[in-house]
């Protein structure tokens, strides 16, 4: 078995690795570190959780330990798709470089340009950046990329999803042709293949097993769910989520709840809080400092439930997550693998439960094809409470609806909080054009420069034709006791009067 000491890393880096408590390199580290230290390009096909961050930071630090930083001319560059991931890489970098004198600059949105410029001006050995912010600095004339000797692209497939590929190509073209490139992606989509063929030179290809095939310590299940009525679907689904959490009991120490759309991340978090569950939302529209605070709270155990979108949670290393709930079936099968990979880490047991609507069965089939097994159907024990969901129990903290009711008061005794919830569900979804809802789901990172290569969402709700809401038994509905008397009259009677 390979040992870290066999890998030719700088002794100071080895010391930091020992401090981190790592005993043996992971397969991606054993495969990527030696060629990277030889100055070769590396194409790493690996997902988060495999130790890939150390597989590029450890050789980078070893190589950079030999030179000196120059003002405005960073010697290396790590590109990450999201701010959180960039911040996490920076944290890793600090841990592994603690015995080496290197300066790093973290260039991410949501933080002032001034502070970042000051660090660049002092001379940074390593820039860790999201593509948009990096190019903003470049365009302000504050940065030269001609001194970059090592460039890392992390989570390239996610960059593709977010429309960052043109930015990546531009950044490649701003760095010297002679640079060394370390390129990581969980999958090799044709567009990614094209980029690697264009910008990497005879790379060492290191591929590690998909997490999907090695996640035996995650107990997976899927709950089939259909709302009793389209306009109550959201309310009932949130009730189902609470029931699922409750039925897990104390085993559910903490959980990440994934939603496909940002709007649902907010609604679900709000609704959980309303029902006394300790939840907070994290998605790309929230301020960076707010997102960091929420994540820190979840990491240190002061926050129990994190409601998240894929992009915001992608690649985050949060150990000890007992449960992952997929509030929606992700529309890209790989996202399922990433999502459930948040639990069952480092040999611990985890539970992943997904709610599936009939219209998402195709996506479920894609996921099952990818993970190569049928996900057990569960939730029979939840069903009776679900049926009763239109007459729900009182929430622990009942709140008044924020907006005045535009619809007629329902006759049922549903709690006010859920009535407000139901109205919210019906209103914005009906008002918002589908395209806007779609772009909401896709544009997690604020304003990527290009939305090229956007994939079509198939997570759109289908039309529910099963109910005709305008007529029931031939009688006009919706007027209740206020029906004007002339409507009740026959045509002849009306003509007579
Ligand atoms: P990553 O795939 O980079 O997100 O890493 C996933 C987790 O594995 C992180 O918590 C790392 O600290 C941890 N890790 C990385 N390398 C090793 C190693 N060689 N042995 C044990 N844990 C590691």
């Amino acid at each position: 078995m390979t040992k870290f000491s066999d890998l030719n890393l700088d002794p100071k880096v080895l010391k930091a690795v020992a401090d981190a408590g790592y005993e043996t390199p992971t397969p991606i580290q054993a495969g990527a570190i030696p060629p990277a230290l030889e100055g070769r390009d590396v194409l790493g096909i690996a997902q988060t959780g495999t130790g890939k961050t150390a597989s590029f930071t450890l050789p980078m630090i070893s190589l950079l330990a030999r030179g000196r930083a120059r003002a405005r001319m960073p010697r290396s560059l790590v590109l990450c798709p999201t701010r959180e991931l960039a911040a996490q890489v920076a944290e890793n970098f600090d841990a592994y470089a603690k015995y080496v004198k290197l300066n790093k600059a973290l260039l991410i949105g949501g933080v002032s340009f001034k502070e970042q410029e000051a660090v660049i001006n002092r001379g940074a050995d390593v820039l860790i950046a999201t593509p948009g912010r990096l190019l903003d600095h470049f365009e302000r004339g504050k940065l030269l990329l001609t001194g970059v000797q090592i460039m890392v692209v992390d989570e390239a497939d996610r960059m593709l999803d977010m429309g960052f590929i043109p930015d990546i190509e531009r950044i490649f073209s701003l760095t010297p042709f002679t640079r060394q490139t370390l390129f990581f992606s969980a999958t090799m989509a044709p567009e990614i293949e094209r980029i690697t063929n264009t910008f990497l030179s005879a790379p060492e290809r290191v591929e590690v097993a998909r997490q999907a095939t090695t996640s035996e310590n995650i107990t997976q299940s899927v709950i089939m769910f259909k709302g009793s009525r389209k306009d109550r679907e959201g309310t009932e689904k949130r009730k189902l989520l609470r029931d699922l959490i409750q039925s897990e009991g104390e085993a559910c120490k903490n959980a990440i709840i994934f939603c496909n759309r940002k709007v649902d991340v907010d609604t679900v978090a709000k609704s959980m809080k309303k029902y006394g569950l300790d939840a907070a939302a994290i998605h790309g529209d929230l301020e960076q400092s707010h997102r960091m605070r929420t994540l820190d709270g979840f990491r240190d155990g002061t926050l129990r439930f994190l409601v998240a979108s894929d992009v915001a949670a992608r690649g985050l290393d949060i150990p000890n997550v007992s449960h992952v709930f997929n509030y929606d079936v992700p529309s890209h099968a790989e996202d399922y693998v990433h999502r459930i990979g948040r639990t069952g880490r480092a040999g611990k047991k985890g539970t992943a439960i997904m709610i599936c609507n009939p219209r998402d069965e195709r996506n479920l089939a894609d996921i099952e094809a990818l993970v190569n097994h049928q996900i057990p159907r569960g939730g029979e024990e939840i069903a009776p409470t679900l049926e009763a969901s239109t007459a729900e129990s009182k929430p622990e903290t009942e709140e008044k609806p924020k907006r005045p009711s535009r619809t007629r008061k329902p006759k049922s005794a549903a709690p006010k909080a859920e009535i407000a919830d139901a109205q919210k569900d019906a209103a914005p979804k009906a008002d918002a054009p589908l395209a806007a809802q779609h772009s909401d789901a896709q544009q997690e990172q604020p304003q990527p420069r290009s939305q090229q290569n956007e994939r079509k969402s198939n997570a759109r709700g289908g039309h529910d034709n099963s109910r005709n809401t305008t007529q029931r038994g031939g009688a006009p509905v919706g007027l209740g006791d206020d029906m004007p008397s002339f409507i009740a009259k026959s045509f002849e009677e009306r003509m007579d009067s």
Side-chain angles (χ1 to χ4, degrees):
M1 196 192 282
T2 318
K3 290 189 288 210
F4 274 109
S5 53
D6 300 333
L7 296 178
N8 265 337
L9 289 162
D10 187 286
K12 288 177 181 159
V13 173
L14 279 179
K15 196 166 170 224
V17 168
D19 289 355
Y22 305 161
E23 283 163 12
T24 47
T26 64
I28 188 77
Q29 291 163 1
I33 293 174
L37 284 172
E38 285 168 20
R40 291 189 51 198
D41 284 359
V42 172
L43 171 56
I45 303 165
Q47 301 180 336
T48 185
T50 55
K52 73 175 163 58
T53 316
S55 79
F56 61 80
T57 42
L58 300 182
M60 266 177 84
I61 297 164
S62 297
L63 293 169
L64 293 170
R66 297 168 200 160
R68 284 237 137 271
R70 286 167 60 190
R72 293 189 190 184
M73 285 185 71
R75 295 194 289 150
S76 67
L77 171 62
V78 182
L79 290 176
C80 302
T82 64
R83 301 164 183 184
E84 282 79 10
L85 201 52
Q88 198 169 287
V89 169
E91 262 174 40
N92 273 256
F93 192 88
D94 287 342
Y96 306 141
K98 65 181 187 184
Y99 298 116
V100 183
K101 210 173 167 321
L102 291 176
N103 297 327
K104 67 144 213 288
L106 178 61
L107 308 186
I108 52 177
V111 180
S112 91
F113 277 95
K114 269 220 155 95
E115 274 171 48
Q116 296 177 349
E117 276 167 16
V119 187
I120 299 170
N121 285 340
R122 281 201 297 273
D125 298 285
V126 188
L127 282 190
I128 302 166
T130 49
R133 183 48 79 103
L134 181 84
L135 286 173
D136 285 343
H137 277 284
F138 181 81
E139 274 152 19
R140 287 166 155 236
K142 303 291 179 190
L143 190 60
L144 280 171
L145 296 175
T146 45
V148 170
Q149 297 153 21
I150 310 170
M151 173 161 156
V152 178
V153 179
D154 195 14
E155 306 243 351
D157 50 342
R158 181 52 48 153
M159 305 258 200
L160 173 70
D161 285 354
M162 295 171 71
F164 281 146
I165 292 297
D167 286 356
I168 302 293
E169 290 188 81
R170 172 139 188 253
I171 295 166
F172 264 123
S173 69
L174 297 171
T175 60
F177 175 66
T178 49
R179 68 162 193 269
Q180 177 185 9
T181 310
L182 311 175
F183 192 98
F184 291 83
S185 185
T187 52
M188 286 302 286
E191 187 67 358
I192 303 280
E193 194 97 48
R194 184 184 67 75
I195 299 280
T196 57
N197 290 340
T198 313
F199 295 105
L200 272 66
S201 150
E204 174 81 15
R205 192 181 166 109
V206 187
E207 187 162 358
V208 299
R210 281 191 160 281
Q211 226 176 1
T213 57
T214 58
S215 57
E216 285 123 24
N217 44 347
I218 304 174
T219 308
Q220 302 172 49
S221 62
V222 60
I223 315 293
M224 305 311 290
F225 159 77
K226 187 173 188 316
S228 64
R229 259 176 30 196
K230 187 119 185 78
D231 62 346
R232 290 203 62 84
E233 192 176 291
T235 315
E236 291 172 358
K237 200 172 174 186
R238 289 190 290 277
K239 164 87 166 84
L240 171 61
L241 175 68
R242 294 194 299 274
D243 287 347
L244 289 168
I245 290 170
Q246 204 180 1
S247 72
E248 289 298 298
E250 293 206 341
C252 183
K253 292 192 180 62
N254 62 355
I256 305 181
I257 294 112
F258 282 99
C259 302
N260 287 359
R261 306 184 318 149
K262 284 183 283 191
V263 64
D264 289 333
V265 169
D266 282 331
T267 312
V268 169
K270 217 169 164 187
S271 158
M272 286 177 74
K273 271 191 271 183
K274 213 178 281 179
Y275 282 86
L277 294 167
D278 179 25
I282 175 170
H283 61 66
D285 282 354
L286 297 168
E287 268 201 9
Q288 179 65 9
S289 54
H290 182 100
R291 284 153 71 172
M292 289 298 187
R293 263 201 316 278
T294 304
L295 274 178
D296 286 346
F298 190 67
R299 272 204 189 95
D300 67 26
T302 48
L303 175 71
R304 187 170 167 217
F305 297 106
L306 184 69
V307 188
S309 63
D310 286 292
V311 173
R314 175 84 174 221
L316 294 180
D317 181 32
I318 305 167
N320 302 324
V321 177
S322 76
H323 282 61
V324 166
F325 291 93
N326 278 301
Y327 183 76
D328 301 300
V329 177
S331 41
H332 305 305
E334 313 89 69
D335 285 338
Y336 178 76
V337 178
H338 286 290
R339 288 180 180 188
I340 72 163
R342 310 292 95 219
T343 184
R345 286 166 95 91
K348 296 205 173 68
K349 294 250 175 274
T351 304
I353 302 173
M354 178 158 68
I355 303 175
C356 178
N357 211 286
R359 63 174 171 264
D360 292 332
E361 279 181 42
R362 253 195 103 102
N363 291 334
L364 175 62
D366 288 348
I367 290 168
E368 291 183 325
L370 178 71
V371 298
N372 209 16
H373 65 84
Q374 214 217 6
I375 304 170
R377 272 49 176 171
E380 276 82 41
E381 63 285 1
I382 310 289
T385 41
L386 224 199
E387 258 141 43
S389 67
T390 42
E392 289 171 7
S393 59
K394 251 180 177 291
E396 284 174 33
T397 39
E398 198 172 274
E399 278 179 18
K400 278 196 182 145
K402 291 246 156 56
R403 277 181 287 149
S405 166
R406 275 192 282 140
T407 51
R408 188 172 294 276
K409 234 183 185 172
K411 290 205 172 112
S412 81
K416 280 183 202 162
E418 280 296 13
I419 293 168
D421 260 5
Q423 286 165 353
K424 227 181 305 148
D425 271 357
K429 282 178 194 166
D431 293 348
L434 278 175
Q437 293 176 24
H438 169 59
S439 71
D440 210 25
Q442 295 284 314
Q443 294 182 23
E444 274 293 335
Q445 191 75 353
Q447 297 167 2
R449 277 145 203 273
S450 160
Q451 287 301 320
Q452 205 191 24
N453 304 319
E454 252 187 359
R455 289 190 284 195
K456 278 192 187 138
S457 165
N458 48 2
R460 295 171 179 182
H463 295 288
D464 184 357
N465 294 325
S466 62
R467 277 155 224 279
N468 181 341
T469 50
T470 56
Q471 292 227 306
R472 198 180 295 137
V477 294
L479 297 169
D481 298 335
D482 306 331
M483 185 167 70
S485 57
F486 78 91
I487 287 183
K489 286 181 183 171
S490 70
F491 178 71
E492 284 79 4
E493 278 175 318
R494 267 184 265 163
M495 291 304 285
D496 287 349
S497 61

